[in-house]
């Protein structure tokens, strides 16, 4: 597939320095992140961008790296938030909660909460408080952030009581008591476990809609959320630099949301049906990305490189695991685990030698797997990875410094 830009797109990027050579040659190669960073920001600077930065219509931000280096980009203020709001507003299953004025309560990484608090402090011209108050954590009139701890597995009872009280405060603004819950799937699953452990369900009003959008949400975590919430549970896929590109419906089918964008799928290795995303986007007018390698991987419904048939966003290209039968993605291991047992919660694969691996795991009920499930899991992971695998139940697997979980340990 040759994803060369259209004449209309070329007109929009004609004066951007980074694309001069491609324009002269009449061919645009794939754009990698190191090339974006080389000479930044001069390689993106145009009179329009310079004026936008001066007027505050464009800003410098960092991409939200999970386990890899973050990338500096330029975008309009609230670029990702507007992309989120547009999808929420247009989503066939949850548009009603947008239109009815639901407030959005966000339960995700503490880094996101701290960012909102810093932005609000800068606006008001005062230093950020060591512990942000609820007022400090409202991003706009619609969205507030709850989490104040890096590792949600370590939330204590008073923290959970506070968050539930803040949810009730947010829903009071709606005539029917509705609110929209935005989350990392892991964070919400941890909250559900804590609420169950401490008997706090009477204090946890059910949301009218849920979106998880911050990191890969495993099969078992999605299943766990569907068991506890009757409302639609929707997944969004996107990034800081691109906005949101795909959304799921409440049955789990993905649909494209590619306004001002196009997508190519390239196999990550010969004969592989894991594809990497190559995205061309002019949605961000100050940093249009042409044939940009996002680093994300997908599988499709029929194994073909058709962007309209994406069945799973299966992880990051840098985290693919080499095996004797080809690369394995985070989503492949996740499917294998979900097929063996629905009780596995957090899991992490450790490569312990050239041909060995250890799968550390926690469970939703806190107990180790029974013998039959444990044997099935050990066998399945061994078959998938081509390694002698053993499994080990743990009470706790720490979250990463980014506030997200790494599925593959030892820097592999």
């Amino acid at each position: 597939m040759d994803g060369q830009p259209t004449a209309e797109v070329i007109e929009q990027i004609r004066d951007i320095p980074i694309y001069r050579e491609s324009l002269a040659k009449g061919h645009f190669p794939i754009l990698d992140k190191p090339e974006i960073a080389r000479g930044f920001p001069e390689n993106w600077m145009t009179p329009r961008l310079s004026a936008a930065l001066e007027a505050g219509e464009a800003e410098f931000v960092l991409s939200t790296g999970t386990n890899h280096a973050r990338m500096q980009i330029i975008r309009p203020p609230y670029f990702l938030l507007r992309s989120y709001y547009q999808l929420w507003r247009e989503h066939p299953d949850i548009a009603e909660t947008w239109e009815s004025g639901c407030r959005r309560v966000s339960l995700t990484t503490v880094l996101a909460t701290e960012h909102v608090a810093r932005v609000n402090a800068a606006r008001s011209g005062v230093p950020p408080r060591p512990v942000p108050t609820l007022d400090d954590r409202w991003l706009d009139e619609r969205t507030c952030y709850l989490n104040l701890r890096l590792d949600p597995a370590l939330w204590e009872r008073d923290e959970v009581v506070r968050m539930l009280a803040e949810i009730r405060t947010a829903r009071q603004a709606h005539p029917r008591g509705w609110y929209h819950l935005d989350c990392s799937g892991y964070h919400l699953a941890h909250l559900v476990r804590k609420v169950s452990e401490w008997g706090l369900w009477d204090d946890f009003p059910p949301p009218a809609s849920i979106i998880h959008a911050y990191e890969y949400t495993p099969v078992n975590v999605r299943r766990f959320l569907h068991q506890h919430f009757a409302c639609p549970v929707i997944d969004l896929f996107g990034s800081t630099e691109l906005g949101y590109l795909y959304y799921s419906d409440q049955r789990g089918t993905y649909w494209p949301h590619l306004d001002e964008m196009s997508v190519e799928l390239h196999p990550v290795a010969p004969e592989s049906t894991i594809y990497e995303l190559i995205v061309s986007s002019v949605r961000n007018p100050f940093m249009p990305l042409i044939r940009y390698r996002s680093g994300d991987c997908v599988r499709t419904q029929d194994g073909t490189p058709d962007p309209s048939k994406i069945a799973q966003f299966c992880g990051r290209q840098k985290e693919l695991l080499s095996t004797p039968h080809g690369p394995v993605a985070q989503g492949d291991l996740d499917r294998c685990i979900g097929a063996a047992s629905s009780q596995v919660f957090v899991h992490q694969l450790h490569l312990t030698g050239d041909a060995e691996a250890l799968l550390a795991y926690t469970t939703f009920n806190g107990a180790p797997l029974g013998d039959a499930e444990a044997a099935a899991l050990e066998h399945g992971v061994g078959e998938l990875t081509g390694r002698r695998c053993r499994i080990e139940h743990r009470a706790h697997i720490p979250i990463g410094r980014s506030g997200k979980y790494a599925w593959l340990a030892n820097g592999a």
Side-chain angles (χ1 to χ4, degrees):
M1 182 187 302
D2 186 354
Q4 296 300 307
T6 64
E8 181 183 0
V9 168
I10 286 174
E11 283 306 309
Q12 296 179 67
I13 63 171
R14 189 171 292 284
D15 60 344
I16 300 176
I18 196 171
Y19 296 123
R20 283 176 185 157
E21 184 176 344
S22 298
L23 287 161
K25 291 180 177 178
H27 178 80
F28 287 74
I30 290 175
L31 181 64
D32 287 306
K33 294 183 181 185
E35 188 63 25
I36 289 172
R38 191 174 296 119
F40 185 91
E42 287 76 16
N43 55 354
W44 295 94
M45 198 59 63
T46 64
R48 180 190 182 196
L49 175 54
S50 180
L53 288 166
E54 183 71 24
E57 296 167 0
E59 63 181 4
F60 292 97
V61 298
L62 290 172
S63 63
T64 52
T66 305
N67 304 298
H68 304 296
R70 301 172 80 190
M71 178 177 70
Q72 194 170 28
I73 60 175
I74 307 167
R75 68 180 191 186
Y78 301 111
F79 173 74
L80 191 59
L81 181 70
R82 290 192 180 111
S83 177
Y84 182 109
Y85 280 173
Q86 181 183 356
L87 262 178
W88 180 10
R89 183 169 58 244
E90 297 175 359
H91 195 287
D93 296 322
I94 61 172
E96 182 185 11
T97 64
W98 167 272
E99 293 299 335
S100 72
C102 275
R103 284 186 158 181
R104 171 180 173 240
V105 175
S106 190
L107 182 69
T108 180
T109 68
V110 72
L111 278 71
T113 306
E114 290 170 348
H115 172 73
V116 171
R118 282 195 304 271
V119 168
N120 286 336
R123 274 196 204 129
S124 59
V126 298
R129 279 183 265 260
V131 180
T133 67
L134 179 57
D135 287 344
D136 297 331
R137 292 182 269 115
W138 280 96
L139 177 61
D140 60 10
E141 71 284 349
R142 195 113 186 199
T143 296
C144 69
Y145 285 72
L146 299 181
N147 182 29
L148 294 174
R149 184 186 283 262
L150 176 64
D151 192 336
L154 303 180
W155 281 330
E156 297 179 353
R157 192 179 193 280
D158 61 339
E159 294 175 273
V160 171
V161 168
R162 170 190 58 80
M163 290 189 286
L164 297 180
E166 290 173 354
I167 288 173
R168 295 195 300 276
T169 296
R171 75 188 284 263
Q172 286 171 2
H174 194 277
R176 298 173 66 178
W178 287 4
Y179 72 98
H180 171 72
L181 183 53
D182 165 73
C183 65
S184 151
Y186 278 118
H187 282 71
L188 182 53
H190 278 296
L191 182 65
V192 168
R193 293 186 71 224
K194 300 287 187 180
V195 165
S196 297
E197 179 183 350
W198 292 318
L200 297 172
W201 278 109
D202 288 346
D203 297 325
F204 190 177
S209 55
I210 295 172
I211 284 177
H212 50 77
Y214 290 86
E215 60 180 316
Y216 181 88
T217 301
V219 170
N220 283 347
V221 172
R222 293 191 197 200
R223 185 183 292 143
F224 184 73
L225 298 182
H226 280 285
Q227 289 170 350
H228 286 87
F229 298 101
C231 66
V233 181
I234 305 302
D235 184 32
L236 301 187
F237 170 79
S239 67
T240 309
E241 63 270 26
L242 292 167
Y244 292 101
L245 288 75
Y246 286 81
Y247 64 88
S248 77
D249 59 28
Q250 58 185 322
R251 292 167 298 280
T253 302
Y254 285 100
W255 300 89
H257 176 71
L258 299 174
D259 59 308
E260 302 182 283
M261 288 185 174
S262 61
V263 170
E264 308 164 53
L265 300 186
H266 292 199
V268 297
E271 309 304 319
S272 177
T273 54
I274 301 175
Y275 296 97
E276 60 177 343
L277 286 184
I278 308 296
V279 182
S280 291
S281 173
V282 294
R283 190 184 291 175
N284 174 355
F286 305 123
M287 198 170 169
L289 297 169
I290 307 304
R291 305 199 74 210
Y292 165 62
R293 194 193 314 269
S294 75
D296 300 291
C297 296
V298 303
R299 285 194 181 273
T300 58
Q301 296 162 8
D302 57 4
T304 65
D306 184 343
S308 70
K309 293 182 178 179
I310 290 175
Q312 183 191 44
F313 293 89
C314 59
R316 303 283 294 168
Q317 193 275 337
K318 285 188 176 181
E319 296 174 353
L320 292 175
L321 175 64
S322 295
T323 76
H325 48 267
V328 164
Q330 177 181 7
D332 301 328
L333 179 66
D334 177 40
R335 278 200 308 270
C336 173
I337 291 170
S341 173
S342 62
Q343 275 302 311
V344 174
F345 180 18
V346 181
H347 59 264
Q348 191 172 73
L349 187 68
H350 297 256
L351 307 183
T352 55
D354 292 339
E356 295 82 32
L358 165 70
L359 182 77
Y361 72 94
T362 71
T363 56
F364 292 107
N365 62 14
L369 297 180
D371 291 344
E373 285 189 327
L377 181 57
E378 194 168 273
H379 175 75
V381 174
E383 287 279 298
L384 178 71
T385 62
R387 292 167 174 264
R388 292 187 296 276
C389 180
R390 61 187 180 90
I391 65 172
E392 181 178 288
H393 174 258
R394 294 183 181 174
H396 176 233
I397 294 176
I399 206 163
R401 288 180 297 174
S402 64
K404 301 178 183 181
Y405 286 104
W407 75 280
L408 191 59
N410 301 340

